[in-house]
Short mmCIF file of all heavy atoms in Angstrom, two decimals:
data_model
loop_
_atom_site.label_atom_id
_atom_site.label_comp_id
_atom_site.label_asym_id
_atom_site.label_seq_id
_atom_site.Cartn_x
_atom_site.Cartn_y
_atom_site.Cartn_z
N TYR A 9 7.41 13.44 0.59
CA TYR A 9 6.92 14.76 0.17
C TYR A 9 8.10 15.69 -0.10
O TYR A 9 8.14 16.40 -1.11
CB TYR A 9 6.02 15.37 1.25
CG TYR A 9 4.58 14.94 1.17
CD1 TYR A 9 3.93 14.38 2.27
CD2 TYR A 9 3.84 15.10 -0.01
CE1 TYR A 9 2.60 13.98 2.20
CE2 TYR A 9 2.51 14.70 -0.08
CZ TYR A 9 1.91 14.14 1.03
OH TYR A 9 0.59 13.75 0.96
N GLY A 52 6.82 -3.16 -8.04
CA GLY A 52 6.96 -2.79 -6.64
C GLY A 52 5.72 -2.98 -5.81
O GLY A 52 5.80 -3.19 -4.60
N PRO A 132 7.79 -5.34 -42.85
CA PRO A 132 8.11 -4.17 -43.69
C PRO A 132 7.25 -2.95 -43.36
O PRO A 132 7.72 -1.81 -43.48
CB PRO A 132 7.81 -4.67 -45.11
CG PRO A 132 7.76 -6.15 -45.01
CD PRO A 132 7.34 -6.49 -43.63
N ILE A 179 -4.28 5.39 -8.34
CA ILE A 179 -4.54 3.98 -8.64
C ILE A 179 -4.11 3.10 -7.46
O ILE A 179 -4.85 2.21 -7.03
CB ILE A 179 -3.80 3.54 -9.93
CG1 ILE A 179 -4.42 4.21 -11.16
CG2 ILE A 179 -3.84 2.02 -10.09
CD1 ILE A 179 -3.58 4.09 -12.42
N SER A 182 -6.47 3.27 -4.62
CA SER A 182 -7.86 2.88 -4.92
C SER A 182 -8.13 1.46 -4.43
O SER A 182 -7.23 0.77 -3.94
CB SER A 182 -8.09 2.96 -6.42
OG SER A 182 -7.38 1.91 -7.06
#
Side-chain angles (χ1 to χ4, degrees):
Chain A
Y9 274 126
I179 291 167
S182 70

